[in-house]
């Protein structure tokens, strides 16, 4: 069973930076399509960013482009979401998700994902 463990959440002032990490418990060499969703108070779940850990290809939601960067480490089972120029509207619970294999098509439109993390809270104060 795939487990995803997130860390890095916390409180930050507007304009600040924060880095989240997500580590998959299993890696068999096939790589992952791994990324982040978030859900703010009273808002629907939103796709933030994802990465194909084999090709390093990335995709970003419109609201975070040019401010967030998703990268993976050399082990290919850990990804980082580097967030800068944070805004109060970035306040949300951030969830990591992953699927074994490549990111085929628009990953945010997939009906389900193989693994989910427990979520990590990011709070941005003005």
């Amino acid at each position: 069973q795939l487990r995803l463990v997130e860390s890095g959440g916390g409180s930050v002032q507007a304009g600040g930076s924060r880095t989240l990490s997500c580590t998959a418990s299993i890696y068999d060499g096939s790589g992952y399509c791994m990324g982040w969703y978030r859900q703010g108070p009273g808002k629907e779940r939103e796709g933030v960013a994802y990465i194909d850990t084999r090709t390093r290809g990335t995709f970003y939601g419109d609201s975070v482009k040019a401010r967030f960067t998703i990268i993976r480490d050399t082990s290919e089972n850990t990804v980082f979401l580097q967030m800068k120029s944070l805004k109060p509207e970035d306040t949300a619970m951030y969830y990591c998700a992953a699927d074994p294999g490549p990111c085929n098509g628009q990953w945010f439109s997939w009906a389900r994902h193989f693994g989910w993390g427990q979520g990590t809270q990011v709070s941005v104060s003005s």
Side-chain angles (χ1 to χ4, degrees), residues 3 33 56 105 107 109 114-115:
R3 289 180 59 243
C33 189
R56 303 192 188 192
W107 186 70
S109 67
F114 191 75

Side-chain angles (χ1 to χ4, degrees), residues 5-120:
V5 179
E6 303 131 327
S7 64
S11 298
V12 61
Q13 289 192 325
S17 301
R18 199 86 185 177
T19 296
L20 307 181
S21 67
C22 176
T23 298
S25 61
I26 301 170
Y27 183 68
D28 63 3
S30 63
Y32 287 105
C33 189
M34 187 181 295
W36 295 87
Y37 288 85
R38 68 184 182 186
Q39 188 163 17
K43 298 181 181 180
E44 293 186 353
R45 189 178 71 187
E46 174 189 12
V48 177
Y50 64 85
I51 185 169
D52 184 316
T53 64
R54 299 305 302 276
T55 67
R56 303 192 188 192
T58 58
F59 181 88
Y60 296 91
D62 289 341
S63 63
V64 304
K65 282 180 181 177
R67 298 189 300 122
F68 290 13
T69 302
I70 187 168
I71 59 173
R72 57 90 162 157
D73 74 354
T74 54
S75 69
E76 295 190 35
N77 70 328
T78 296
V79 299
F80 302 93
L81 184 67
Q82 301 171 327
M83 306 182 293
K84 65 178 182 180
S85 302
L86 284 162
K87 307 174 182 179
E89 50 264 44
D90 293 317
T91 294
M93 184 71 81
Y94 284 71
Y95 297 93
C96 179
D99 294 279
C103 299
N104 292 322
Q106 172 48 272
W107 186 70
F108 286 146
S109 67
W110 290 18
R112 60 196 310 174
H113 296 302
F114 191 75
W116 284 91
Q118 77 285 358
T120 186

